[in-house]
């Protein structure tokens, strides 16, 4: 009876720190998930605002572009009637509009690339941080077994 009681006490002493370590690990993972969720939501809102701003700028440029197109048509009609020298002028305006469209398209692609890169980097940083935390807690747990080696037969199996 005493032997069973001693074995039960030894097993409980060995399992309680492991259980506490498990609970701490689960709590840290849960906290990480919640924190990451809020950070991701915040970043999403920020980028949605940035994209909305870019879309507003694009709409403004498109509005200006439609105004410019009307002006170009009017000027083309007036100048073609009077001088017949407007071909180069129209060509230059068309190139400017095309270049503006290209620049806006490139800027939108750049914003999307930055958003993707930042999300990936943050996920890697969180994973690395919690990996290091688990290694430190596990090392501490093993060092406690090594320091208080009262039952080598049982503790050796726990540390393996």
């Amino acid at each position: 009876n005493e032997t069973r009681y001693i074995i039960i006490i030894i097993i409980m002493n060995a399992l309680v720190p492991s259980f506490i370590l498990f609970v701490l690990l689960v709590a840290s993972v849960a906290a990480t998930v919640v924190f990451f969720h809020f950070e991701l939501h915040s970043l999403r809102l920020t980028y949605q605002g940035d994209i909305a701003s870019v879309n507003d700028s694009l709409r403004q440029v498109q509005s200006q572009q439609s105004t410019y197109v009307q002006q170009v048509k009017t000027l083309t009609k007036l100048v073609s009637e009077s001088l017949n020298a407007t071909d180069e002028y129209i060509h230059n305006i068309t190139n400017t509009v095309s270049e503006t469209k290209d620049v806006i398209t490139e800027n939108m692609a750049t914003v999307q690339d930055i958003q993707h890169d930042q999300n990936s980097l943050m996920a890697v940083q969180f994973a690395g941080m919690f990996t290091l935390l688990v290694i430190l807690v596990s090392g501490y747990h093993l060092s406690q077994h090594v320091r208080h080696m009262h039952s080598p037969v049982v503790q050796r199996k726990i540390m393996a």
Side-chain angles (χ1 to χ4, degrees):
N1 264 344
E2 285 183 33
T3 307
R4 286 183 184 170
Y5 180 70
I6 291 172
I7 290 174
I8 290 172
I9 289 174
I10 290 171
I11 290 173
M12 290 303 289
N13 284 337
L15 291 178
V16 168
S18 296
F19 180 72
I20 290 172
L21 180 64
F22 176 74
V23 168
L24 287 173
L25 179 63
V26 168
S28 69
V29 168
T32 301
V33 168
V34 168
F35 179 74
F36 185 68
H37 173 72
F38 286 126
E39 284 295 319
L40 185 59
H41 182 69
S42 173
L43 284 173
R44 186 176 294 137
L45 291 177
T46 301
Y47 289 125
Q48 286 174 349
D50 292 345
I51 290 172
S53 173
V54 168
N55 285 337
D56 290 343
S57 297
L58 179 62
R59 277 189 224 103
Q60 184 180 10
V61 167
Q62 287 173 340
S63 172
Q64 291 174 352
Q65 177 186 357
S66 67
T67 304
Y68 291 149
V69 167
Q70 287 298 332
Q71 291 174 356
V72 167
K73 286 180 181 180
T74 304
L75 288 175
T76 302
K77 186 176 179 181
L78 292 174
V79 173
S80 67
E81 291 174 356
S82 65
L83 296 175
N84 285 332
T86 59
D87 287 339
E88 185 178 339
Y89 178 73
I90 293 171
H91 181 70
N92 289 340
I93 290 176
T94 304
N95 284 343
T96 303
V97 170
S98 296
E99 289 171 1
T100 304
K101 281 183 181 179
D102 292 342
V103 167
I104 289 172
T105 303
E106 289 175 9
N107 288 341
M108 287 177 61
T110 302
V111 167
Q112 290 172 349
D113 289 343
I114 290 170
Q115 177 185 7
H116 177 70
D117 292 343
Q118 287 180 350
N119 287 341
S120 298
L121 178 62
M122 186 179 296
V124 169
Q125 287 174 344
F126 277 121
M129 179 180 68
F130 284 100
T131 300
L132 288 174
L133 181 65
V134 166
I135 289 170
L136 292 173
V137 171
S138 296
Y140 175 76
H141 182 70
L142 286 174
S143 71
Q144 291 301 314
H145 276 290
V146 171
R147 284 188 192 149
H148 305 288
M149 185 69 84
H150 301 296
S151 179
V153 174
V154 175
Q155 286 177 309
R156 182 177 48 209
K157 292 179 182 177
I158 292 171
M159 289 188 300

